[in-house]
């Protein structure tokens, strides 16, 4: 059985919890508090030298970091991970976009404004850039979704899961999605998928570490 090292309010961790739920894969969950430095202990760094969650133990002693790599691993061989060459490349395209344009802006705003006490004051200058680049990313997504129900392969895939994580919490920070009707409709389509769980969900049998 997999063990997932994850933090409840982390969008990157949520991607993996959402996919595991939708794929019906059982797993043990270890809640890690990054605000208390729990990913920076020698024990954790031995598992993931990057000191970050999510981290999936795929077999005893074998660890896989990076949310989008984990998505490809757990969804491999299922309809959530496109097999066809161009469909797969399209899914990858949007997952790279997520890491380059969405996570560093919407994700950073989410982390510093909603999770860290006083984070807004600490990052007043950065916030301007996150906002500008975040809206730029949202406009790209909006345009794509105006004529398509999902991001890649003409169906719901792990590309949607990756992009959903920080887009669905965008309005908790500085982003107003009122002017993005296609994104709002897509957020609803994702939330309507079988096996959907919200970011606050946790398995009943939580957790080894708590
Ligand atoms: N590119 C990585 C980013 C992971 C990441 O930034 N994780 C954050 C939580 S969302 C973390 O663990 N931060 C703790 C730290 O850097 O000390 C992914 O997609 O998994």
């Amino acid at each position: 059985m997999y063990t997932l090292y994850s933090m409840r309010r982390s969008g990157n961790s949520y991607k993996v919890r959402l996919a595991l739920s939708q794929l019906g894969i059982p797993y043990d969950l270890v809640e890690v508090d990054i605000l208390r430095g729990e990913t920076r202990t020698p024990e954790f760094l031995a598992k993931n030298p990057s000191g970050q969650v999510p981290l999936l133990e795929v077999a005893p002693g074998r660890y896989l970091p990076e949310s989008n790599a984990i998505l490809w691993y757990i969804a491999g061989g299922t309809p959530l991970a496109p097999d066809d060459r161009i469909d797969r490349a399209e899914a990858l395209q949007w997952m790279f976009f997520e890491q380059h344009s969405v996570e560093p802006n919407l994700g950073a705003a989410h982390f510093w404004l909603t999770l860290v006490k006083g984070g807004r004051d600490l990052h007043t200058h950065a916030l301007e850039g996150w906002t500008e680049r975040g809206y730029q990313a949202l406009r790209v997504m909006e345009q794509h979704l105006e004529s398509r129900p999902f991001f890649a392969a003409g169906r719901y895939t792990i590309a949607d899961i990756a992009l959903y994580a920080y887009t669905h919490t965008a309005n908790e920070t500085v982003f107003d999605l009122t002017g993005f009707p296609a994104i709002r409709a897509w957020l609803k389509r994702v939330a309507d998928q079988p096996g959907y769980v919200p970011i606050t969900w946790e398995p009943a049998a939580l957790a080894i570490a708590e």
Side-chain angles (χ1 to χ4, degrees):
M1 182 137 95
Y2 297 140
T3 298
L4 176 65
Y5 296 81
S6 153
M7 184 168 117
R8 205 168 291 139
R9 297 294 311 277
S10 144
N12 287 314
S13 299
Y14 172 52
K15 293 173 193 172
V16 181
R17 298 196 302 270
L18 177 54
L20 286 167
S21 168
Q22 296 192 305
L23 291 164
I25 299 174
Y27 62 101
D28 287 325
L29 183 67
V30 178
E31 177 68 18
V32 177
D33 189 347
I34 63 175
L35 301 175
R36 290 175 157 196
E38 287 177 6
T39 55
R40 299 287 163 170
T41 63
E43 294 75 24
F44 193 91
L45 288 170
K47 299 180 175 80
N48 180 11
S50 297
Q52 295 183 326
V53 287
L55 178 69
L56 189 71
E57 187 174 19
V58 299
R62 182 139 195 198
Y63 296 96
L64 184 63
E66 290 296 332
S67 56
N68 290 349
I70 299 172
L71 289 180
W72 278 99
Y73 177 75
I74 58 179
T78 78
L80 284 184
D83 212 13
D84 177 79
R85 195 168 151 201
I86 182 64
D87 289 346
R88 187 172 60 228
E90 253 177 32
L92 281 164
Q93 172 209 328
W94 284 106
M95 292 168 87
F96 287 125
F97 172 86
E98 187 270 338
Q99 286 284 292
H100 182 263
S101 302
V102 175
E103 200 258 9
N105 298 306
L106 275 66
H110 178 254
F111 180 76
W112 289 103
L113 301 191
T114 71
L115 298 185
V116 180
K117 224 174 170 189
R120 184 184 283 266
D121 297 334
L122 282 172
H123 286 279
T124 320
H125 294 303
L127 185 56
E128 210 174 297
W130 296 337
T131 308
E132 188 186 326
R133 289 188 298 275
Y135 270 121
Q136 210 173 316
L138 289 169
R139 283 193 292 274
V140 172
M141 293 166 64
E142 176 73 13
Q143 194 182 350
H144 186 75
L145 291 169
E146 274 165 1
S147 55
R148 300 165 188 87
F150 296 108
F151 277 95
R155 65 172 193 271
Y156 180 68
T157 69
I158 48 176
D160 297 287
I161 294 179
L163 284 159
Y164 181 81
Y166 286 107
T167 308
H168 90 295
T169 54
N171 61 357
E172 293 173 19
T173 60
V174 289
F175 299 99
D176 179 2
L177 295 184
T178 311
F180 296 90
I183 290 181
R184 285 189 285 109
W186 165 77
L187 290 175
K188 182 161 182 342
R189 277 194 292 280
V190 174
D192 286 343
Q193 296 299 308
Y196 175 87
V197 287
I199 193 167
T200 49
W201 174 88
E202 56 193 34
L206 185 78
I208 296 169
E210 281 191 326

